[in-house]
């Protein structure tokens, strides 16, 4: 099969940019068929609450670092909208920025063609898979932008990086970590590269120290900001401390579901993985200079794989951190290895294109089907007609799309109740077979204390019970008594039960 189409695309920077943008838009298009497709169902409501005056981790709880919520909130403020489509377009732009950085990295480490191919391969691969993982607005895309910025800075002078380079590398990796904690794995990748390439025992600790200093500046700035806002303790509870049991619990529940996720990722990225296997097979025969440059990519790939397996959940979107380095190594293999000896290489870009079209069609068909239960639209209409624009909704096992579609903000600090019910994502405790009895030991005592305080201080206008079997609101005595005292009997819409707050007694 001829490589003329690939050459035509990669021979011009404008054509490469245009085709990459087209590929990213095509692969992301199915996500526009639904409001929320993954964790954006948390990120967007949290950003809305921040723009309504709430404080992150105090008034809106999640277990991620702060920058993604700040980015979404700033985007909404800047454009004067809370449209999720804007966030999806922003994510496409971020992925295109990653492709551009891959072009620059590949060109600097090897040659222009490798960079162009890496950008093309990445653009194809990053939206090839289940849309909820690969094409959704996930933290990994934003983290990758700064990880690749750090790799670009470091690649300028691999043998003897300057202090300025090391400081900038560390600072960019810290920003990546403030988008997603696993961004810190790229710091490990840089250290491993120095350990492999530098013989001077003093040089490696010094390089680590300068990178660490650069890393500390954004991190300490973020800590200082949170302390000034009075939310540093809340940040520690939700974004740091509670992530350790989250990781341990996921590892304890490793099983067939995780293996199926791994198998699905391998299937989604099979063309790229085959090309990278060829690159690995050719590595021992490389010259010293080329081996040094490729070692940077191999060490970053190893570190990204370490981050991918943390917690043993193996969600597809975790693998997005790995894709930039797969794309670079696959591009090097395609550009440098003889296709007659490695016949699969010749097919790499064509297979990636076929994979993209196949997943785009399947994602489009699947996401075009409604995800809303019976009565959802009626519940939204009821909320709109029985509450004001500044009233808040408390959701119990109910979709955050209820707050979004009704134009309301979620009540209390919890956009979802998993901390309160012990339904830890990626474990048996989130399965349909779970019940309150099986999850009771995992219910957050801190969370329940905070929930009592939040509800007591400001009873929400409306409470909606999503009716999840085994976790209905009435199974929790505090919530049941609270609703019985302050709210009218439930109005049912399908599986949803909607409770309206009774008028407050008039004090003479």
């Amino acid at each position: 099969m001829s490589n003329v189409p690939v050459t035509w695309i990669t021979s011009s920077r404008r054509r490469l940019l245009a085709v990459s943008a087209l590929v990213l838009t095509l692969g992301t298009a199915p996500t526009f068929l639904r409001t929320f497709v993954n964790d954006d169902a948390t990120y967007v409501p949290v950003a809305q609450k921040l723009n309504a005056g709430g404080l992150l981790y105090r008034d809106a709880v999640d277990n991620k670092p702060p920058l993604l919520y700040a980015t979404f909130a700033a985007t909404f403020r800047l454009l004067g909208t809370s449209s999720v489509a804007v966030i999806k377009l922003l994510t496409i732009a971020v992925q295109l920025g990653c492709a551009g950085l891959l072009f620059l990295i590949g060109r600097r480490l090897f040659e222009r063609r490798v960079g162009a191919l890496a950008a093309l391969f990445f653009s194809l691969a990053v939206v090839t898979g289940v849309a909820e993982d690969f094409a959704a607005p996930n933290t990994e895309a934003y983290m990758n932008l700064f990880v690749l910025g750090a790799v670009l800075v470091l690649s300028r002078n691999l043998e003897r990086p300057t202090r300025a380079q090391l400081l900038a590398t560390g600072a960019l990796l810290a920003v990546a970590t403030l988008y997603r904690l696993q961004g810190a794995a790229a710091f490990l990748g840089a250290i491993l590269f120095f350990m492999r390439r530098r013989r001077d025992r003093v040089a490696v600790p010094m390089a680590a120290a300068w990178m660490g200093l650069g890393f500390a500046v954004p991190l300490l700035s973020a800590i200082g900001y949170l302390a000034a806002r009075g939310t540093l303790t809340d940040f520690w509870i939700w974004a740091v401390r509670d992530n350790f049991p989250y990781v341990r619990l996921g590892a304890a529940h490793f099983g067939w579901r995780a293996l199926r996720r791994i198998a699905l990722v391998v299937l989604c990225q099979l063309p790229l993985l085959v090309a990278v296997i060829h690159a690995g097979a050719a590595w021992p025969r490389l010259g010293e200079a080329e081996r040094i440059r490729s070692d940077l990519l191999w060490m970053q790939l190893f570190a990204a794989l370490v981050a991918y397996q943390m917690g043993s959940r193996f969600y597809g979107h975790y693998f997005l951190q790995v894709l930039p380095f797969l794309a670079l190594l696959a591009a090097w293999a395609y550009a440098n290895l003889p296709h007659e000896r490695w016949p699969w290489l010749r097919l790499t870009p064509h297979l990636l294109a076929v994979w993209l079209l196949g997943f785009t069609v399947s994602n489009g068909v699947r996401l075009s089907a409604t995800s809303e239960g019976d009565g959802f639209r009626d519940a939204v209409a009821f909320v709109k007609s029985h509450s004001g624009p500044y009233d808040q909704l408390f959701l119990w096992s109910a979709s955050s799309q209820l707050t979004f579609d009704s134009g309301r903000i979620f009540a209390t600090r919890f956009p979802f109740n998993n901390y309160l019910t012990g339904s830890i994502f990626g474990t048996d405790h989130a399965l349909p077979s779970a019940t309150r009895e099986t999850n009771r030991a995992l219910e957050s005592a801190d969370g329940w204390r905070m929930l009592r305080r939040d509800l007591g201080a400001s009873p929400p206008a409306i409470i909606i019970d999503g009716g999840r079997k085994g976790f209905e609101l009435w199974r929790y005595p505090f919530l049941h008594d609270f609703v019985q005292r302050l709210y009218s009997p439930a109005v049912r819409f399908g599986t949803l039960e909607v409770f309206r707050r009774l008028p407050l007694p008039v004090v003479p």
Side-chain angles (χ1 to χ4, degrees):
M1 188 176 294
S2 171
N3 69 348
V4 171
V6 178
T7 301
W8 180 84
I9 292 168
T10 58
S11 61
S12 164
R13 191 180 303 181
R14 288 185 179 180
R15 279 197 292 269
L16 175 66
L17 181 66
V19 171
S20 295
L22 178 62
V23 164
L24 291 167
T25 302
L26 176 65
T28 306
T31 67
F32 287 83
L33 297 172
R34 286 192 184 173
T35 305
F36 301 124
V37 287
N38 199 312
D39 291 343
D40 49 343
T42 298
Y43 306 147
V44 168
V46 167
Q48 289 179 306
K49 189 151 193 178
L50 298 186
N51 283 343
L55 295 175
L56 185 60
Y57 308 118
R58 172 70 56 80
D59 303 312
V61 163
D62 198 18
N63 66 347
K64 304 291 195 306
L67 279 189
L68 190 75
Y69 314 106
T71 299
F72 284 11
T75 301
F76 289 151
R77 285 198 307 272
L78 181 65
L79 299 179
T81 179
S82 291
S83 169
V84 181
V86 167
I87 297 302
K88 293 170 183 174
L89 291 171
L90 175 65
T91 304
I92 292 173
V94 167
Q95 299 285 32
L96 189 59
C98 290
L101 288 170
L102 283 168
F103 170 78
L104 297 175
I105 293 168
R107 185 179 66 177
R108 179 172 290 175
L109 290 178
F110 304 108
E111 58 174 321
R112 186 191 182 283
R113 187 163 185 247
V114 172
L117 286 167
L120 178 62
F121 289 177
F122 173 82
S123 299
L124 287 162
V126 79
V127 288
T128 298
V130 178
E132 290 89 327
D133 282 319
F134 286 86
N138 288 311
T139 53
E140 288 86 356
Y142 296 78
M143 173 193 68
N144 278 344
L145 189 67
F146 293 92
V147 168
L148 291 174
V151 173
L152 179 63
V153 170
L154 195 58
S155 67
R156 185 175 181 180
N157 184 3
L158 291 178
E159 290 286 6
R160 296 187 180 277
T162 65
R163 290 176 180 176
Q165 276 181 269
L166 294 170
L167 286 169
T169 298
L172 287 166
L173 293 178
V175 175
T177 304
L178 289 170
Y179 274 102
R180 184 171 181 80
L181 291 175
Q182 285 86 341
F187 193 100
L188 168 65
I191 297 300
L192 291 175
F193 169 74
F194 288 136
M195 290 175 65
R196 278 188 58 82
R197 304 314 317 175
R198 306 191 75 174
R199 308 291 187 262
D200 186 346
R201 292 185 179 181
V202 178
V204 174
M206 286 301 295
W210 283 105
M211 278 201 307
L213 181 60
F215 191 92
V217 172
L219 207 61
L220 291 175
S221 299
I223 291 172
Y225 176 81
L226 293 169
R229 304 278 282 181
T231 58
L232 185 58
T233 300
D234 302 276
F235 165 77
W236 171 260
I237 291 172
W238 301 112
V240 180
R241 189 195 69 183
D242 276 22
N243 271 315
F244 291 106
Y246 180 81
V247 168
R248 288 196 300 271
L249 192 63
H253 285 245
F254 178 84
W256 285 110
R257 289 188 309 280
L259 291 174
R260 286 197 297 269
R261 293 186 199 117
I262 295 172
L264 182 58
V265 166
V266 170
L267 173 64
C268 294
Q269 302 303 327
L270 187 60
L272 212 57
L273 290 170
V274 170
V276 172
I277 290 171
H278 291 334
W283 180 85
R285 298 191 299 275
L286 295 180
E288 182 65 17
E290 197 160 30
R291 186 178 294 186
I292 290 173
R293 294 192 293 270
S294 64
D295 273 358
L296 175 64
L297 305 181
W298 285 112
M299 292 302 101
Q300 287 296 340
L301 175 61
F302 171 77
L305 287 169
V306 169
Y308 167 60
Q309 64 80 41
M310 286 181 64
S312 301
R313 285 169 174 82
F314 296 102
Y315 290 129
H317 62 92
Y318 290 6
F319 200 74
L320 292 176
Q321 187 170 355
V322 181
L323 282 182
F325 306 105
L326 288 182
L328 280 162
L329 290 165
W332 176 87
Y334 184 85
N336 290 278
L337 298 180
H339 291 184
E340 60 274 11
R341 182 176 178 183
W342 309 93
W344 270 97
L345 281 176
R346 186 186 301 116
L347 299 176
T348 299
H350 309 285
L351 289 175
L352 282 169
V354 171
W355 255 241
L356 169 68
L357 292 173
F359 276 104
T360 299
V361 171
S362 63
N363 285 328
V365 170
R366 190 167 45 78
L367 293 182
S368 63
T370 180
S371 62
E372 301 159 0
D374 292 338
F376 179 89
R377 288 297 160 198
D378 292 335
V380 169
F382 182 87
V383 169
K384 286 183 175 180
S385 62
H386 291 85
S387 64
Y390 298 105
D391 286 331
Q392 296 186 352
L393 276 63
F394 177 64
L395 302 177
W396 186 261
S397 300
S399 167
S400 59
Q401 193 167 337
L402 284 162
T403 57
F404 186 83
D405 285 4
S406 61
R408 305 295 185 258
I409 301 297
F410 65 87
T412 77
R413 70 192 67 200
F414 298 103
F416 52 85
N417 67 352
N418 294 56
Y419 298 116
L420 306 167
T421 63
S423 301
I424 308 302
F425 296 120
T427 72
D428 295 345
H429 299 285
L431 294 178
S433 58
T435 64
R436 191 191 178 193
E437 288 66 36
T438 63
N439 287 13
R440 192 182 295 268
L442 296 176
E443 294 175 4
S444 170
D446 284 338
W448 276 103
R449 282 194 293 271
M450 294 173 183
L451 178 66
R452 289 187 176 91
R453 188 163 65 241
D454 291 351
L455 290 174
S458 181
I462 289 180
I463 293 176
I464 301 180
D465 182 1
R468 181 186 171 195
K469 188 176 180 181
F471 295 91
E472 298 90 349
L473 185 148
W474 59 264
R475 295 180 185 273
Y476 297 83
F478 162 72
L479 283 179
H480 180 66
D481 293 344
F482 180 80
V483 170
Q484 290 284 93
R485 285 188 295 107
L486 299 179
Y487 290 80
S488 62
V491 178
R492 180 175 287 276
F493 300 97
T495 60
L496 301 173
E497 288 190 336
V498 182
F499 303 88
R500 292 175 58 203
R501 189 180 65 205
L502 295 170
L504 296 176
V506 178
V507 179

